Amino acid sequence: MYNDVVRAVDKGQVPPLVLLDLSSVFDTVDHDCLLSVLQRRFSVDGDAMTWFRSYPADRTRTFVAGKDHYGPLPVNCSVPQGSVLGPIKFIAYTADVSEVIAQHGVSYHLFADDEQLYTAVSRDEIQVARQRLTSCISVLRDWCASRRLQLNA
């Protein structure tokens, strides 16, 4: 992204940049939606799908506050951030976000819970770039909501 911005400036263009952040992404991955994405987008089926289904099955959490215990409570969302499989599942879960962004003609850089949207335009096209980025953010917010992800305003 840095090189793209520097090249744009060298060409006399304006490179508007939007930095976005998602809240608690690993904690909000919906298990049913994740399994659907794996099947639909990545054609995971058979034994592989059975294995993926077994991972979140029958998971519970117990909360302890002082002497009080709450749970066990069923867990229907989240992937462990510190595990080997957690980040891979999150990447699969959000893989199609690049298509959502690309439809708006903006460039992007994605890293887990951070997204950077940018473009390069001449000075007289700044309003067009602003509208394009605003539209992209609006659609991105809806996409995040459909995946139970919270885009920080």
Side-chain angles (χ1 to χ4, degrees):
M1 185 215 55
Y2 175 78
N3 287 338
D4 292 343
V5 169
V6 169
R7 268 190 249 129
V9 171
D10 287 346
K11 291 179 184 177
Q13 295 178 314
V14 176
L17 168 68
V18 177
L19 305 174
L20 302 172
D21 182 64
L22 299 168
S23 297
S24 306
V25 292
F26 286 88
D27 295 334
T28 58
V29 172
D30 180 276
H31 294 164
D32 291 333
C33 184
L34 171 62
L35 293 171
S36 174
V37 168
L38 289 172
Q39 186 174 37
R40 196 173 18 89
R41 182 167 175 86
F42 297 101
S43 301
V44 175
D45 63 3
D47 290 342
M49 181 53 84
T50 300
W51 183 78
F52 275 110
R53 282 189 201 284
S54 72
Y55 181 75
D58 301 322
R59 291 184 61 214
T60 61
R61 286 189 179 158
T62 300
F63 297 91
V64 178
K67 295 180 182 181
D68 297 326
H69 292 265
Y70 303 95
L73 302 170
V75 176
N76 63 1
C77 63
S78 83
V79 292
Q81 187 171 357
S83 71
V84 172
L85 197 53
I88 292 169
K89 285 186 169 192
F90 180 75
I91 290 168
Y93 189 66
T94 59
D96 59 344
V97 72
S98 59
E99 294 169 10
V100 172
I101 296 169
Q103 291 174 354
H104 295 276
V106 298
S107 299
Y108 58 90
H109 178 77
L110 308 173
F111 183 77
D113 60 349
D114 295 316
E115 299 173 354
Q116 301 167 351
L117 309 177
Y118 61 100
T119 190
V121 295
S122 64
R123 292 183 191 277
D124 59 335
E125 295 176 315
I126 291 173
Q127 188 59 31
V128 172
R130 181 179 180 183
Q131 290 171 342
R132 197 177 329 149
L133 287 165
T134 301
S135 174
C136 183
I137 293 166
S138 177
V139 171
L140 191 56
R141 184 180 300 117
D142 293 342
W143 179 90
C144 286
S146 76
R147 296 286 171 96
R148 291 181 60 174
L149 299 171
Q150 177 64 45
L151 182 62
N152 289 328

